[in-house]
C-alpha cells in the first residue's frame, strides 16, 4: 500500500512538473510571438507613406510593392498583405502559399514553428486578377490574439462599432464594409449544404447573387448592405465551437472610394 501511495505521489509530481514546464513554454512562446508582431507592425509604420487607395496598375507586371510593406516583403516573399480592424486586437500580416495552403497554420513570419501561426489566404484565391472573394483564415486563440476577436461580431453592437475591415494587399490599400456575419461549419464533400468557403469566383450574376443571398439568409443580423455583381468581397474565417467543425465567417464588400467621391459631388 505504501509503495502504491509512493508511486501515485511520484506520478503526481511528474505531472505537475510537466504541466508547469508546458505552461512556462506556452507563455514564453506567446511573448516571443507578441514581440515579433510588434516588430512587424513597427516596420510598416516606419515605412508608411501617404498613398491613395487603389494605387496598383491593372497590369500585374507593372505593379510595385507599397513602401510600408517593401521591407517585410524582402524578408519573406510569402507576404501577400495586411489585415486589421480599427479599435480591435486584429492587426496581422497575411501570408500566401498556393503550393501548401496551410503552411502558416502553425508557423511564424520567420517560418519557424509557432502554434498560433499567421493568417493566410486560401490557396485557390488570387490577388493578381483578383478573385471575386478573398478568403483569409486565422486561429481562434483563447488569449484574444489572431482571429479570436471575430467571435465578438456575433453581437450586433460590436459590428456597429467596427463595421469596416482594412485589408491591404502588398500592392494596394483597401477597405471593406461588413455585410454579413454567419455561423456555419466545414461540411463533408457529400453534404449538399451551402459551403460558403467554396465561393471564390463569381463568374456570372446568378452565381454571385445566389452566394450573397445565402450569406444574408444565414446572417446573424441585418446590416442593410447589399453587394452587387462586380463587387469584390473579403471573408475572414475562424473556428467556432457552437458545433462540430464549426466556423464563424465575417463577409464584407470592398468600398470603392472613387465611386464614393463621385457620389458626393
Amino acid at each position: 500500500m505504501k509503495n502504491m501511495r509512493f508511486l501515485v505521489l511520484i506520478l503526481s509530481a511528474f505531472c505537475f512538473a510537466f504541466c508547469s514546464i508546458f505552461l512556462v513554454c506556452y507563455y514564453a512562446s506567446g511573448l516571443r510571438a507578441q514581440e515579433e508582431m510588434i516588430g512587424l507592425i513597427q516596420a510598416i509604420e516606419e515605412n508608411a507613406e501617404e498613398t491613395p487607395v487603389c494605387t496598383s496598375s491593372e497590369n500585374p507586371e507593372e505593379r510595385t510593392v507599397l513602401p510600408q510593406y517593401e521591407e517585410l516583403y524582402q524578408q519573406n516573399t510569402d507576404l501577400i498583405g495586411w489585415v486589421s480592424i480599427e479599435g480591435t486586437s486584429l492587426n496581422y500580416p497575411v501570408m500566401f502559399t498556393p503550393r501548401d495552403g496551410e503552411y502558416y497554420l502553425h508557423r511564424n513570419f520567420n517560418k519557424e514553428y509557432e502554434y498560433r501561426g499567421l493568417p493566410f489566404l486560401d490557396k485557390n484565391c488570387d490577388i493578381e486578377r483578383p478573385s471575386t472573394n478573398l478568403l483569409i483564415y486565422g486561429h481562434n486563440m483563447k488569449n484574444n490574439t489572431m482571429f479570436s476577436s471575430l467571435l465578438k461580431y456575433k453581437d450586433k453592437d460590436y459590428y456597429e462599432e467596427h463595421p469596416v475591415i482594412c485589408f491591404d494587399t502588398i500592392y494596394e490599400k483597401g477597405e471593406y464594409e461588413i455585410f454579413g456575419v454567419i455561423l456555419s461549419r466545414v461540411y463533408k464533400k457529400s453534404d449538399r449544404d451551402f459551403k460558403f468557403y467554396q465561393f471564390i469566383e463569381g463568374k456570372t450574376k446568378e452565381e454571385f447573387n445566389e452566394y450573397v443571398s445565402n450569406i444574408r439568409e444565414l446572417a446573424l443580423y441585418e446590416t442593410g448592405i447589399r453587394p452587387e455583381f462586380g463587387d469584390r468581397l473579403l471573408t475572414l474565417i475562424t473556428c467556432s465551437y457552437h458545433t462540430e467543425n464549426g466556423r464563424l465567417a465575417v463577409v464584407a464588400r470592398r468600398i470603392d472610394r472613387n465611386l464614393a467621391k463621385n457620389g458626393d459631388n
Side-chain angles (χ1 to χ4, degrees):
M1 193 69 178
K2 289 183 178 180
N3 290 338
M4 182 62 71
R5 289 178 179 175
F6 180 73
L7 180 60
V8 171
L9 182 62
I10 293 297
L11 289 174
S12 298
F14 176 79
C15 290
F16 177 79
F18 176 81
C19 292
S20 297
I21 293 172
F22 175 81
L23 288 173
V24 169
C25 292
Y26 178 82
Y27 285 108
S29 175
L31 288 174
R32 287 195 299 271
Q34 186 177 2
E35 290 175 358
E36 178 191 60
M37 197 55 56
I38 291 173
L40 297 179
I41 293 171
Q42 288 177 342
I44 64 171
E45 289 178 347
E46 289 172 0
N47 292 293
E49 293 183 5
E50 290 295 326
T51 51
V53 175
C54 301
T55 57
S56 66
S57 167
E58 292 294 329
N59 184 353
E61 295 181 358
E62 297 178 2
R63 290 185 168 187
T64 56
V65 177
L66 293 174
Q68 58 264 51
Y69 303 117
E70 189 171 0
E71 179 181 337
L72 296 184
Y73 183 72
Q74 292 298 324
Q75 294 178 28
N76 188 340
T77 55
D78 291 338
L79 177 70
I80 202 67
W82 196 282
V83 62
S84 63
I85 300 177
E86 187 176 358
T88 78
S89 60
L90 202 155
N91 188 20
Y92 296 101
V94 178
M95 315 307 285
F96 183 52
T97 51
R99 293 185 179 180
D100 183 0
E102 296 186 348
Y103 182 81
Y104 285 94
L105 186 66
H106 298 300
R107 285 186 173 88
N108 63 18
F109 195 78
N110 296 318
K111 303 183 180 181
E112 302 164 337
Y113 177 81
E114 167 56 53
Y115 180 77
R116 296 161 183 78
L118 286 174
F120 57 90
L121 185 68
D122 189 292
K123 67 177 182 179
N124 297 307
C125 292
D126 186 352
I127 67 164
E128 300 290 351
R129 288 197 309 265
S131 307
T132 303
N133 189 18
L134 298 175
L135 289 81
I136 301 176
Y137 300 88
H139 281 298
N140 172 13
M141 302 300 298
K142 292 182 179 179
N143 62 356
N144 199 37
T145 58
M146 294 301 145
F147 278 11
S148 60
S149 61
L150 293 182
L151 273 294
K152 296 178 182 179
Y153 276 105
K154 290 189 289 185
D155 183 346
K156 189 175 182 180
D157 289 340
Y158 186 83
Y159 153 74
E160 291 175 345
E161 293 172 359
H162 310 95
V164 175
I165 301 169
C166 295
F167 174 58
D168 298 349
T169 70
I170 56 174
Y171 304 119
E172 62 181 7
K173 300 176 71 65
E175 293 182 337
Y176 296 75
E177 54 186 357
I178 297 168
F179 74 86
V181 178
I182 69 168
L183 289 172
S184 185
R185 57 170 295 182
V186 177
Y187 293 98
K188 298 178 181 178
K189 290 184 179 180
S190 58
D191 291 337
R192 300 175 65 89
D193 300 77
F194 171 59
K195 302 179 177 71
F196 73 92
Y197 45 84
Q198 290 185 347
F199 181 78
I200 293 176
E201 291 292 352
K203 297 181 180 179
T204 67
K205 185 175 182 179
E206 289 72 22
E207 286 180 340
F208 184 89
N209 288 343
E210 181 181 4
Y211 171 77
V212 171
S213 177
N214 278 311
I215 293 294
R216 296 189 67 236
E217 183 176 341
L218 290 174
L220 300 179
Y221 43 80
E222 174 63 50
T223 65
I225 298 172
R226 293 170 172 75
E228 299 179 352
F229 181 60
D231 285 342
R232 290 163 59 179
L233 307 180
L234 174 71
T235 304
L236 304 187
I237 305 167
T238 194
C239 291
S240 174
Y241 303 110
H242 64 283
T243 187
E244 183 179 2
N245 294 321
R247 297 292 185 272
L248 177 138
V250 178
V251 193
R253 72 170 177 184
R254 181 164 178 145
I255 301 171
D256 190 327
R257 291 301 184 189
N258 292 326
L259 289 178
K261 288 179 181 179
N262 292 335
D264 292 338
N265 292 335

